[in-house]
Amino acid sequence: TQLLEQSPQFLSIQEGENLTVYCNSSSVFSSLQWYRQEPGEGPVLLVTVVTGGEVKKLKRLTFQFGDARKDSSLHITAAQPGDTGLYLCAVAINDYKLSFGAGTTVTVRA
Amino acid sequence: NAGVTQTPKFQVLKTGQSMTLQCAQDMNHEYMSWYRQDPGMGLRLIHYSVGAGITDQGEVPNGYNVSRSTTEDFPLRLLSAAPSQTSVYFCASSQGGGGDDGYTFGSGTRLTVV
């Protein structure tokens, strides 16, 4: 059983549409991270959220940490083909280890 | 600034062969880790290091060895390759353990064991 459940597993949309991906758990976390991974590359950190209810924006990407710090969402406005990739959420289990969700594969069609 | 460099990019091994996956970082990070990525399973921690001379096991350490003789390098050794070790391997580094600042990942080694 994965600590972090991501949904949906796959998402294919047209350029210009909006999308939301989710990261859920039954555990409470002190912080949560979102990464994006492009084909043939390693994950790249997008953001870390640390406060319950926190909203962070990165251009067209909006990240929210749930009030209870058990879940998070990533919303992309007016998606572009460059947003295509695997989106991973992760939490720090201790000082040395990140636990990752299985990821959401996003495809934005031109 | 190269960040985290992994070699080779691709590798095919026969069952029973051994090999070393190389990882080097030039950011003077204390924490380094090896993850494997398999479809539908996310990234799973194999081994990690919190500094030169200090290593420990992660979730899936069996069949792998590591050492950390310098801050920069953290090689992963496959002792006797098995088809179950077919995967994409990522090396990552962090200054503060990854909780706040996250990890910087290499571009991966895609390993196939036949």
Side-chain angles (χ1 to χ4, degrees):
Chain A
T1 306
Q2 293 230 260
L3 181 63
L4 298 172
E5 297 290 338
Q6 290 192 243
S7 62
Q9 188 175 359
F10 299 98
L11 193 55
S12 180
I13 61 170
Q14 200 70 30
E15 181 177 3
E17 294 181 337
N18 301 332
L19 68 97
T20 302
V21 299
Y22 300 93
C23 176
N24 296 298
S25 178
S26 57
S27 300
V28 177
F29 305 111
S30 58
S31 65
L32 186 145
Q33 300 171 4
W34 284 95
Y35 290 79
R36 178 169 64 208
Q37 184 179 13
E38 298 183 8
E41 297 296 328
V44 175
L45 180 68
L46 296 174
V47 76
T48 301
V49 286
V50 297
T51 305
E54 180 178 7
V55 176
K56 280 192 173 179
K57 294 193 174 186
L58 187 64
K59 296 183 180 178
R60 293 174 294 99
L61 279 61
T62 301
F63 305 85
Q64 185 161 9
F65 202 13
D67 290 342
R69 290 182 288 126
K70 294 182 177 182
D71 53 77
S72 182
S73 63
L74 159 59
H75 182 80
I76 302 179
T77 303
Q80 299 176 1
D83 296 323
T84 292
L86 175 67
Y87 289 82
L88 296 158
C89 62
V91 292
I93 300 302
N94 52 35
D95 284 346
Y96 332 120
K97 178 186 174 183
L98 291 180
S99 180
F100 286 83
T104 295
T105 299
V106 172
T107 303
V108 182
R109 305 184 305 274
Chain B
N1 192 342
V4 177
T5 302
Q6 289 185 240
T7 57
K9 185 77 172 174
F10 301 94
Q11 183 70 49
V12 178
L13 288 178
K14 294 183 179 179
T15 297
Q17 286 185 317
S18 62
M19 80 159 294
T20 299
L21 280 61
Q22 301 292 342
C23 175
Q25 53 95 4
D26 61 359
M27 297 171 285
N28 202 34
H29 284 172
E30 289 297 320
Y31 295 79
M32 296 187 74
S33 302
W34 276 101
Y35 288 84
R36 59 177 289 173
Q37 185 174 37
D38 302 290
M41 302 188 72
L43 289 101
R44 293 180 292 168
L45 182 65
I46 304 171
H47 284 286
Y48 65 92
S49 170
V50 300
I54 306 169
T55 64
D56 207 344
Q57 298 180 349
E59 297 175 74
V60 288
N62 292 340
Y64 308 95
N65 272 357
V66 292
S67 60
R68 183 102 180 265
S69 57
T70 66
T71 299
E72 294 78 19
D73 299 302
F74 191 41
L76 177 71
R77 280 181 286 277
L78 279 71
L79 308 173
S80 177
S84 61
Q85 294 179 304
T86 293
S87 188
V88 183
Y89 291 85
F90 289 98
C91 178
S93 74
S94 172
Q95 181 55 39
D100 293 326
D101 300 328
Y103 272 84
T104 300
F105 284 81
S107 59
T109 294
R110 183 175 294 274
L111 176 68
T112 303
V113 183
V114 298

